[in-house]
Short mmCIF file of all heavy atoms in Angstrom, two decimals:
data_model
loop_
_atom_site.label_atom_id
_atom_site.label_comp_id
_atom_site.label_asym_id
_atom_site.label_seq_id
_atom_site.Cartn_x
_atom_site.Cartn_y
_atom_site.Cartn_z
N ARG A 1 -19.29 22.15 -8.18
CA ARG A 1 -20.64 22.38 -7.68
C ARG A 1 -20.62 22.48 -6.16
O ARG A 1 -20.83 21.51 -5.44
CB ARG A 1 -21.57 21.26 -8.12
CG ARG A 1 -21.65 21.04 -9.62
CD ARG A 1 -22.38 22.16 -10.31
NE ARG A 1 -23.79 22.18 -9.98
CZ ARG A 1 -24.65 23.07 -10.46
NH1 ARG A 1 -24.22 24.04 -11.26
NH2 ARG A 1 -25.92 23.03 -10.12
N LEU A 2 -20.33 23.65 -5.64
CA LEU A 2 -20.25 23.87 -4.19
C LEU A 2 -21.31 24.89 -3.79
O LEU A 2 -21.22 26.07 -4.13
CB LEU A 2 -18.85 24.37 -3.81
CG LEU A 2 -18.60 24.66 -2.34
CD1 LEU A 2 -18.70 23.37 -1.53
CD2 LEU A 2 -17.23 25.29 -2.14
N ALA A 3 -22.33 24.44 -3.08
CA ALA A 3 -23.41 25.33 -2.67
C ALA A 3 -23.03 26.11 -1.42
O ALA A 3 -22.38 25.57 -0.52
CB ALA A 3 -24.69 24.53 -2.41
N THR A 4 -23.40 27.36 -1.35
CA THR A 4 -23.12 28.20 -0.19
C THR A 4 -24.37 28.99 0.19
O THR A 4 -25.25 29.21 -0.64
CB THR A 4 -21.97 29.20 -0.47
OG1 THR A 4 -22.37 30.09 -1.52
CG2 THR A 4 -20.70 28.48 -0.87
N ILE A 5 -24.41 29.40 1.46
CA ILE A 5 -25.46 30.31 1.92
C ILE A 5 -24.91 31.72 1.82
O ILE A 5 -23.90 32.03 2.47
CB ILE A 5 -25.87 30.00 3.36
CG1 ILE A 5 -26.33 28.55 3.50
CG2 ILE A 5 -26.99 30.94 3.82
CD1 ILE A 5 -26.63 28.12 4.92
N PRO A 6 -25.50 32.59 1.04
CA PRO A 6 -24.94 33.94 0.91
C PRO A 6 -25.06 34.73 2.21
O PRO A 6 -25.93 34.46 3.04
CB PRO A 6 -25.80 34.56 -0.20
CG PRO A 6 -27.09 33.80 -0.15
CD PRO A 6 -26.72 32.41 0.25
N GLY A 7 -24.16 35.71 2.38
CA GLY A 7 -24.23 36.58 3.54
C GLY A 7 -23.65 35.95 4.79
O GLY A 7 -23.04 34.88 4.75
N THR A 8 -23.85 36.62 5.91
CA THR A 8 -23.34 36.16 7.20
C THR A 8 -24.41 36.31 8.27
O THR A 8 -25.42 37.00 8.07
CB THR A 8 -22.11 36.99 7.63
OG1 THR A 8 -22.47 38.37 7.70
CG2 THR A 8 -20.95 36.81 6.65
N VAL A 9 -24.18 35.68 9.40
CA VAL A 9 -25.09 35.83 10.54
C VAL A 9 -25.04 37.28 11.02
O VAL A 9 -23.95 37.81 11.26
CB VAL A 9 -24.68 34.89 11.68
CG1 VAL A 9 -25.66 35.03 12.86
CG2 VAL A 9 -24.64 33.44 11.21
N PRO A 10 -26.17 37.95 11.15
CA PRO A 10 -26.17 39.33 11.63
C PRO A 10 -25.72 39.41 13.08
O PRO A 10 -25.79 38.42 13.82
CB PRO A 10 -27.62 39.78 11.47
CG PRO A 10 -28.42 38.52 11.47
CD PRO A 10 -27.54 37.47 10.86
N PRO A 11 -25.24 40.58 13.53
CA PRO A 11 -24.81 40.70 14.92
C PRO A 11 -25.99 40.59 15.87
O PRO A 11 -27.11 41.02 15.55
CB PRO A 11 -24.20 42.10 14.98
CG PRO A 11 -24.83 42.85 13.86
CD PRO A 11 -25.07 41.84 12.78
N PRO A 12 -25.78 40.00 17.06
CA PRO A 12 -26.89 39.82 18.01
C PRO A 12 -27.41 41.13 18.59
O PRO A 12 -28.44 41.12 19.27
CB PRO A 12 -26.27 38.93 19.10
CG PRO A 12 -24.80 39.13 18.99
CD PRO A 12 -24.52 39.39 17.54
N THR A 13 -26.71 42.23 18.35
CA THR A 13 -27.23 43.54 18.78
C THR A 13 -28.24 44.09 17.78
O THR A 13 -28.89 45.10 18.06
CB THR A 13 -26.07 44.55 18.92
OG1 THR A 13 -25.31 44.56 17.70
CG2 THR A 13 -25.17 44.19 20.08
N ALA A 14 -28.36 43.44 16.63
CA ALA A 14 -29.25 43.97 15.59
C ALA A 14 -29.88 42.84 14.79
O ALA A 14 -29.74 42.78 13.56
CB ALA A 14 -28.46 44.90 14.66
N TRP A 15 -30.57 41.93 15.49
CA TRP A 15 -31.30 40.91 14.74
C TRP A 15 -32.33 41.59 13.86
O TRP A 15 -33.02 42.52 14.29
CB TRP A 15 -32.02 39.95 15.68
CG TRP A 15 -31.21 39.12 16.62
CD1 TRP A 15 -31.44 38.92 17.94
CD2 TRP A 15 -30.06 38.31 16.31
NE1 TRP A 15 -30.52 38.06 18.48
CE2 TRP A 15 -29.65 37.67 17.50
CE3 TRP A 15 -29.33 38.07 15.13
CZ2 TRP A 15 -28.56 36.82 17.56
CZ3 TRP A 15 -28.24 37.22 15.19
CH2 TRP A 15 -27.86 36.60 16.38
N PRO A 16 -32.49 41.16 12.61
CA PRO A 16 -33.48 41.80 11.73
C PRO A 16 -34.91 41.52 12.20
O PRO A 16 -35.17 40.53 12.88
CB PRO A 16 -33.20 41.16 10.38
CG PRO A 16 -32.51 39.88 10.68
CD PRO A 16 -31.73 40.10 11.94
N ALA A 17 -35.82 42.40 11.83
CA ALA A 17 -37.23 42.19 12.14
C ALA A 17 -37.76 41.03 11.32
O ALA A 17 -37.16 40.62 10.32
CB ALA A 17 -38.02 43.46 11.85
N GLY A 18 -38.90 40.50 11.72
CA GLY A 18 -39.47 39.37 11.02
C GLY A 18 -38.63 38.12 11.21
O GLY A 18 -38.06 37.89 12.29
N CYS A 19 -38.53 37.31 10.18
CA CYS A 19 -37.67 36.13 10.23
C CYS A 19 -36.22 36.58 10.20
O CYS A 19 -35.82 37.38 9.35
CB CYS A 19 -37.97 35.21 9.05
SG CYS A 19 -36.80 33.84 8.91
N ARG A 20 -35.41 36.07 11.11
CA ARG A 20 -34.02 36.52 11.21
C ARG A 20 -33.14 36.00 10.09
O ARG A 20 -32.01 36.45 9.93
CB ARG A 20 -33.45 36.12 12.57
CG ARG A 20 -34.15 36.85 13.70
CD ARG A 20 -33.67 36.45 15.08
NE ARG A 20 -34.44 37.18 16.08
CZ ARG A 20 -34.30 37.05 17.39
NH1 ARG A 20 -33.40 36.20 17.87
NH2 ARG A 20 -35.05 37.75 18.22
N PHE A 21 -33.67 35.08 9.29
CA PHE A 21 -32.92 34.54 8.16
C PHE A 21 -33.37 35.14 6.84
O PHE A 21 -32.81 34.83 5.79
CB PHE A 21 -33.10 33.00 8.13
CG PHE A 21 -32.24 32.30 7.13
CD1 PHE A 21 -30.85 32.33 7.21
CD2 PHE A 21 -32.82 31.57 6.09
CE1 PHE A 21 -30.06 31.66 6.27
CE2 PHE A 21 -32.04 30.90 5.15
CZ PHE A 21 -30.66 30.94 5.25
N HIS A 22 -34.33 36.05 6.86
CA HIS A 22 -34.96 36.47 5.60
C HIS A 22 -34.00 37.14 4.63
O HIS A 22 -34.15 37.02 3.41
CB HIS A 22 -36.18 37.39 5.88
CG HIS A 22 -35.84 38.80 6.20
ND1 HIS A 22 -35.88 39.30 7.49
CD2 HIS A 22 -35.45 39.86 5.42
CE1 HIS A 22 -35.55 40.58 7.49
NE2 HIS A 22 -35.27 40.93 6.25
N ASP A 23 -32.98 37.87 5.14
CA ASP A 23 -32.07 38.57 4.23
C ASP A 23 -31.08 37.63 3.55
O ASP A 23 -30.36 38.05 2.64
CB ASP A 23 -31.32 39.68 4.98
CG ASP A 23 -30.54 39.18 6.18
OD1 ASP A 23 -30.81 38.05 6.63
OD2 ASP A 23 -29.65 39.90 6.66
N ARG A 24 -31.06 36.36 3.94
CA ARG A 24 -30.18 35.37 3.31
C ARG A 24 -30.99 34.25 2.64
O ARG A 24 -30.41 33.36 2.04
CB ARG A 24 -29.26 34.74 4.36
CG ARG A 24 -28.43 35.73 5.15
CD ARG A 24 -27.61 35.06 6.23
NE ARG A 24 -26.55 34.23 5.67
CZ ARG A 24 -25.80 33.39 6.40
NH1 ARG A 24 -26.01 33.27 7.70
NH2 ARG A 24 -24.85 32.69 5.82
N CYS A 25 -32.29 34.34 2.75
CA CYS A 25 -33.17 33.24 2.32
C CYS A 25 -33.65 33.45 0.88
O CYS A 25 -34.17 34.52 0.54
CB CYS A 25 -34.37 33.15 3.25
SG CYS A 25 -35.53 31.82 2.81
N PRO A 26 -33.53 32.44 0.01
CA PRO A 26 -33.98 32.58 -1.38
C PRO A 26 -35.50 32.54 -1.53
O PRO A 26 -36.02 32.88 -2.59
CB PRO A 26 -33.34 31.38 -2.07
CG PRO A 26 -33.21 30.35 -0.99
CD PRO A 26 -32.91 31.13 0.26
N TYR A 27 -36.22 32.12 -0.49
CA TYR A 27 -37.67 32.01 -0.57
C TYR A 27 -38.39 33.19 0.07
O TYR A 27 -39.62 33.24 0.07
CB TYR A 27 -38.14 30.73 0.13
CG TYR A 27 -37.42 29.48 -0.29
CD1 TYR A 27 -36.64 28.78 0.62
CD2 TYR A 27 -37.51 28.99 -1.59
CE1 TYR A 27 -35.97 27.62 0.24
CE2 TYR A 27 -36.85 27.84 -1.97
CZ TYR A 27 -36.08 27.16 -1.05
OH TYR A 27 -35.42 26.02 -1.43
N ALA A 28 -37.68 34.13 0.67
CA ALA A 28 -38.31 35.17 1.49
C ALA A 28 -39.28 36.03 0.68
O ALA A 28 -39.05 36.34 -0.48
CB ALA A 28 -37.23 36.05 2.11
#
């Protein structure tokens, strides 16, 4: 039982719009 956060930190040249964690967030 090893929990992980999917994906990786996006590059600082292209932070996503909105919440910067939304593409990795299960609640988004």
Side-chain angles (χ1 to χ4, degrees):
R1 303 289 292 179
L2 180 64
T4 63
I5 303 175
T8 58
V9 181
T13 52
W15 297 134
C19 173
R20 294 178 182 179
F21 187 63
H22 79 257
D23 57 343
R24 305 176 68 189
C25 180
Y27 310 115

